[in-house]
Amino acid sequence: MAEKDPEGIIATDPSDNDDRKCLIIRKLLKFNPKEVFTWQLVKTVAMGQGLAALICGTAVTSQYLASDYHVDAPMLQSFMSYTLLCLTYTTALLFRTGDGNMFPILKKRWWKYLLVGLVDVEANYTVVKAYQYTTLTSIQLLDCFVIPVLMILSCWFLKTCYRPVHYVSVCVCLLGVGAMVGADLLAGRDLGSTSDVLLGDGLVLLSASLYAVSNVCQEYTVKHLSRVEFLGMVGLFGTLISGIQLGVLEHNNVANIQWDWRIGLLFAGYALCMYTLYSCMPVVVKKTSATAVNLSLLTADLLSLFCGLFLFQYTFSGLYMVSLVIILVGFIAFNAVATTPDPTDPIAPSVGREEGGYDNPDDVIEEGEHTGVSWNQRTQNEEVPAGGRITKM
């Protein structure tokens, strides 16, 4: 036990240190890799890298449009993606019954989804505009700002409790990003403009903050309400907002496009990659978290660079492989230990979130007919025992 000496200085009992050492040794001896490196973890890593590959697809098609065809219409690209979401998921909401129908949702939460749609559209737009003012290196580094903002917002709004291993894992991933940026500098790929670096860096930070807000809203919605509801509302309001912004800001750029089948194919490829990304991301977010998904997306730049080695004759550096390994190690470590919801949170989902289980009964019927009974209404008549299963009183 700790005791105070006559001078008031706390003295540590050597036996306490011995007990801690023994405890650590026992934990190491009991460590079973099969309990950490599970099939669920493998699926999480695979799904995360699938999302990163979709981001890579959007980057490659955008690069071709900009470099080979001199097309500068990012809002048109976003408008096409949101339109696809609107045609599928918003239409699906129209055919639902009860409270799951589009009109009751709009009546209750229209202004919330309007803000989410605005945030999502402007997050995509501001990061594209940043390339006109600052360098690729600055964008790659500052774009990582989304992760600490996400963790803060998750702790604040979603009541997520992170453990020390999660903070260490994030630092490892950011170290991998640093290695990637260093490889870019050594390879002479510090692309972009320096016309107004301060403005460009500010746009990147703004974009990262907006992405964090959008991702937190997405995580809350898919875990407490419905994936189809989120995508349908984002598709609806994203189409309206991006359409207005397209008409105001890019009508001249769109009119000057020399359309042919190649340009049309590139636009279609971008829209399909982004549509698939939006459709699949909520599934991964529900099984993990928005923070974990954004950690997995850190490898998207590396996948784009590997594609650029063959498509755009980029210079290879061994640091790219080092960066990829470091980011993947950090991502695996982050997902190997589950985050825990705050037990004091009255709306915290039940046990089993990390295993991909349903957080509330509404999720079980997400793709089918909605019963029109909210989660809060159900909990008034149902009891949730310690095991997390729901039983009628």
Side-chain angles (χ1 to χ4, degrees):
M1 296 177 62
E3 300 177 353
K4 284 189 177 180
D5 64 10
E7 297 180 357
I9 301 175
I10 296 178
T12 303
D13 191 341
S15 61
D16 289 346
N17 293 330
D18 293 339
D19 292 340
R20 293 192 189 97
K21 292 178 181 179
C22 292
L23 180 61
I24 293 174
I25 292 174
R26 284 199 298 269
K27 287 185 176 181
L28 291 175
L29 292 176
K30 293 180 179 180
F31 174 74
N32 184 2
K34 293 182 179 180
E35 295 179 356
V36 176
F37 301 102
T38 61
W39 177 240
Q40 177 66 27
L41 179 60
V42 173
K43 290 193 294 184
T44 299
V45 174
M47 289 187 295
Q49 294 314 294
L51 296 179
L54 292 170
I55 291 285
C56 173
T58 64
V60 170
T61 52
S62 297
Q63 180 70 19
Y64 266 119
L65 286 170
S67 61
D68 290 13
Y69 300 99
H70 308 289
V71 173
D72 180 22
M75 192 52 63
L76 175 60
Q77 294 172 256
S78 296
F79 176 75
M80 295 174 65
S81 305
Y82 289 120
T83 300
L84 289 177
L85 291 175
C86 185
L87 291 175
T88 52
Y89 294 103
T90 308
T91 303
L93 289 178
L94 279 172
F95 289 96
R96 281 187 166 188
T97 59
D99 287 348
N101 185 267
M102 185 181 75
F103 296 106
I105 292 173
L106 288 174
K107 184 178 180 180
K108 294 178 181 178
R109 297 183 284 272
W110 69 269
W111 64 272
K112 296 179 181 179
Y113 284 119
L114 173 63
L115 292 177
V116 172
L118 179 63
V119 165
D120 198 72
V121 171
E122 299 310 321
N124 290 320
Y125 183 72
T126 50
V127 72
V128 173
K129 293 297 291 184
Y131 282 92
Q132 299 179 12
Y133 302 103
T134 190
T135 62
L136 176 64
T137 300
S138 295
I139 293 174
Q140 289 175 325
L141 285 173
L142 296 177
D143 197 42
C144 297
F145 184 65
V146 66
I147 295 173
V149 175
L150 253 177
M151 297 183 75
I152 293 172
L153 293 178
S154 296
C155 291
W156 192 1
F157 292 105
L158 302 179
K159 310 300 181 183
T160 302
C161 297
Y162 293 103
R163 301 178 184 180
V165 66
H166 295 121
Y167 296 104
V168 173
S169 301
V170 168
C171 292
V172 171
C173 289
L174 297 181
L175 180 64
V177 174
M180 177 182 65
V181 172
D184 283 343
L185 294 175
L186 292 176
R189 289 194 64 250
D190 194 18
L191 306 177
S193 172
T194 56
S195 60
D196 195 335
V197 174
L198 185 61
L199 175 60
D201 291 350
L203 289 173
V204 178
L205 293 176
L206 175 61
S207 173
S209 301
L210 293 175
Y211 273 127
V213 173
S214 176
N215 289 166
V216 167
C217 293
Q218 180 184 85
E219 181 173 352
Y220 179 87
T221 305
V222 301
K223 289 184 176 181
H224 293 82
L225 296 172
S226 165
R227 178 181 71 95
V228 176
E229 176 177 327
F230 177 82
L231 293 175
M233 292 295 101
V234 168
L236 175 63
F237 288 108
T239 301
L240 294 174
I241 296 170
S242 62
I244 294 172
Q245 200 161 330
L246 171 65
V248 173
L249 300 177
E250 292 186 359
H251 59 278
N252 290 330
N253 293 353
V254 174
N256 293 330
I257 296 176
Q258 303 295 319
W259 290 96
D260 63 20
W261 68 270
R262 298 178 188 85
I263 293 179
L265 189 61
L266 289 172
F267 269 105
Y270 176 91
L272 288 175
C273 285
M274 189 61 75
Y275 171 79
T276 308
L277 175 68
Y278 270 92
S279 299
C280 296
M281 189 170 176
V283 177
V284 187
V285 166
K286 186 170 182 177
K287 291 182 176 295
T288 56
S289 67
T291 304
V293 169
N294 277 272
L295 288 175
S296 69
L297 295 181
L298 292 177
T299 60
D301 287 335
L302 285 167
L303 297 178
S304 300
L305 289 170
F306 294 147
C307 291
L309 295 175
F310 303 98
L311 301 176
F312 307 113
Q313 287 73 52
Y314 289 163
T315 303
F316 178 77
S317 171
L319 277 177
Y320 290 140
M321 297 302 301
V322 174
S323 174
L324 178 62
V325 172
I326 293 175
I327 293 175
L328 288 177
V329 167
F331 176 67
I332 291 172
F334 186 94
N335 287 279
V337 179
T339 58
T340 55
D342 189 344
T344 64
D345 178 23
I347 60 171
S350 302
V351 178
R353 171 186 297 177
E354 286 72 25
E355 284 73 23
Y358 291 106
D359 295 323
N360 65 64
D362 289 345
D363 290 336
V364 179
I365 53 171
E366 174 184 297
E367 306 300 335
E369 181 178 350
H370 201 284
T371 62
V373 181
S374 67
W375 171 242
N376 291 331
Q377 291 172 331
R378 287 169 182 247
T379 54
Q380 293 175 1
N381 300 317
E382 297 170 347
E383 179 182 9
V384 182
R389 295 182 180 274
I390 294 179
T391 55
K392 290 285 184 181
M393 291 183 64

